[in-house]
Amino acid sequence: MAGIREILNLERIDRDIYRGPVIESILQRTFGGQVAAQSLVAATRTVEEGYEVNSLHAYFVGPGIPDVPTVFLVDRIRDGRSFVSRHVKAVQNGNTIFVMQASFHRTGDSGIEHSDKMRPVPDPEEIFVDTDKLPSVTRLLFDEWAEWDIRPVPPERIDHDPYRASEQKVWFRSRSELPDNPTLHVCTLAYMSDMTLLTSALVPHPEAKLQEASLDHAMWFLRPFRADEWLLYDQVSPSAHAGRALTHGRLFNRSGELVAVVTQEGLTRTLRPGAKNVPHKAPEE
């Protein structure tokens, strides 16, 4: 698997038009976090210094093909004094596969301050992941995400909220040290945010056979962070119904500061006989 800097290294082919590199994958469909992160990179390339990403809202409107380049078309919606807005469309073979609205806020603003606290969990150093004991699909994804150190907190070590339908907590970080570039860390987290979140809907249904796919994705970036330092992804799934599940994640740094929030709806449709829940290539491919 390519490193995140290679994944995010877009080629400029014209004003506000960029092309992403082809990234080798064992998946038959492009990983959603990759398309989201590359779209955000394209948007940031059109914004002047002095503004930072504060949010994004996106829809996965078609499956991406991993071995086909993706072109990103950026529309400069508005350049205001305090906020800048961009629209990005990701295209393969003339078909739109992803659309995103991104907002940028000028640096240096001040106002009220408060934040939720991180609930107590074991430190990542206390958690050992035996990949041999993981379900086959989970092992497949861990192989795909080998560049990332991912450590789910064991369910028995979570102080569960009885009013939550489903909970999951995951420590993760980039295994590679990343440059001191805040924009790179934000775009990297956009990539990482699609990891494991939809599986939080499966916690109450460990035996369910489902077709899974991200449908939409929204993020809010609240405080500075580094994606190569441990982040706790505190995930819940408030509802699953009619083949769709709503998931929500809050990201805390090691100091317990809330740095980002994610909400995603995903497809969780009962799997038809013979189909793969996460389409992937056979080993010989």
Side-chain angles (χ1 to χ4, degrees):
M1 182 65 184
I4 190 63
R5 280 179 279 185
E6 179 183 348
I7 292 169
L8 301 183
N9 186 23
L10 304 191
E11 174 192 2
R12 182 183 184 273
I13 58 178
D14 205 337
R15 186 179 188 268
D16 300 343
I17 303 176
Y18 300 87
R19 179 165 49 214
V22 172
I23 303 298
E24 184 177 352
S25 175
I26 57 179
L27 304 177
Q28 290 181 345
R29 297 175 180 172
T30 307
F31 172 53
Q34 175 183 314
V35 184
Q38 290 176 334
S39 296
L40 189 56
V41 169
T44 63
R45 297 272 185 91
T46 70
V47 177
E48 296 181 359
E49 291 185 6
Y51 294 85
E52 296 178 346
V53 185
N54 67 282
S55 66
L56 63 85
H57 300 259
Y59 284 93
F60 298 91
V61 295
I65 307 169
D67 55 0
V68 172
T70 306
V71 174
F72 301 90
L73 311 174
V74 183
D75 189 2
R76 302 183 185 224
I77 303 298
R78 183 175 184 270
D79 289 274
R81 288 182 56 194
S82 297
F83 290 91
V84 170
S85 299
R86 294 291 185 261
H87 178 270
V88 185
K89 182 166 66 172
V91 178
Q92 285 186 332
N93 294 331
N95 298 315
T96 300
I97 63 169
F98 182 81
V99 292
M100 171 189 287
Q101 296 276 357
S103 174
F104 298 77
H105 183 206
R106 72 178 180 188
T107 57
D109 267 1
S110 61
I112 60 173
E113 293 277 346
H114 65 257
S115 175
D116 283 353
K117 294 182 179 179
M118 183 173 75
R119 294 173 65 183
V121 294
D123 291 332
E125 294 83 2
E126 299 178 41
I127 299 171
F128 171 73
V129 179
D130 186 351
T131 54
D132 291 337
K133 294 183 178 179
L134 294 174
S136 58
V137 172
T138 306
R139 285 202 309 273
L140 175 89
L141 292 173
F142 270 55
D143 288 342
E144 179 77 1
W145 300 331
E147 289 288 320
W148 315 94
D149 196 343
I150 305 171
R151 304 190 188 186
V153 178
E156 66 274 11
R157 303 190 69 181
I158 296 174
D159 182 16
H160 292 277
D161 183 342
Y163 294 96
R164 297 282 193 190
S166 180
E167 290 184 89
Q168 177 172 268
K169 301 184 193 303
V170 179
W171 286 105
F172 64 178
R173 65 177 177 179
S174 168
R175 294 186 186 274
S176 303
E177 184 176 351
L178 301 176
D180 295 330
N181 179 336
T183 299
L184 176 67
H185 288 267
V186 166
C187 294
T188 299
L189 187 60
Y191 181 99
M192 298 167 67
S193 66
D194 197 33
M195 296 176 177
T196 74
L197 183 55
L198 187 54
T199 62
S200 67
L202 309 184
V203 172
H205 315 281
E207 304 301 323
K209 305 298 183 183
L210 304 172
Q211 181 185 357
E212 303 167 42
S214 302
L215 296 176
D216 66 6
H217 202 79
M219 295 188 71
W220 293 264
F221 302 95
L222 308 175
R223 290 173 179 81
F225 60 88
R226 292 189 64 93
D228 53 4
E229 296 179 351
W230 286 114
L231 296 169
L232 179 71
Y233 207 173
D234 186 350
Q235 306 167 346
V236 298
S237 178
S239 176
H241 175 69
R244 304 189 314 275
L246 183 66
T247 58
H248 178 78
R250 299 184 301 166
L251 289 139
F252 295 88
N253 64 19
R254 193 70 181 268
S255 300
E257 296 173 313
L258 182 62
V259 300
V261 172
V262 186
T263 297
Q264 181 184 87
E265 187 176 47
L267 183 69
T268 50
R269 177 190 293 148
T270 301
L271 196 66
R272 68 180 186 276
K276 300 176 182 178
N277 52 355
V278 178
H280 57 276
K281 301 172 184 176
E284 63 271 13
E285 294 183 76

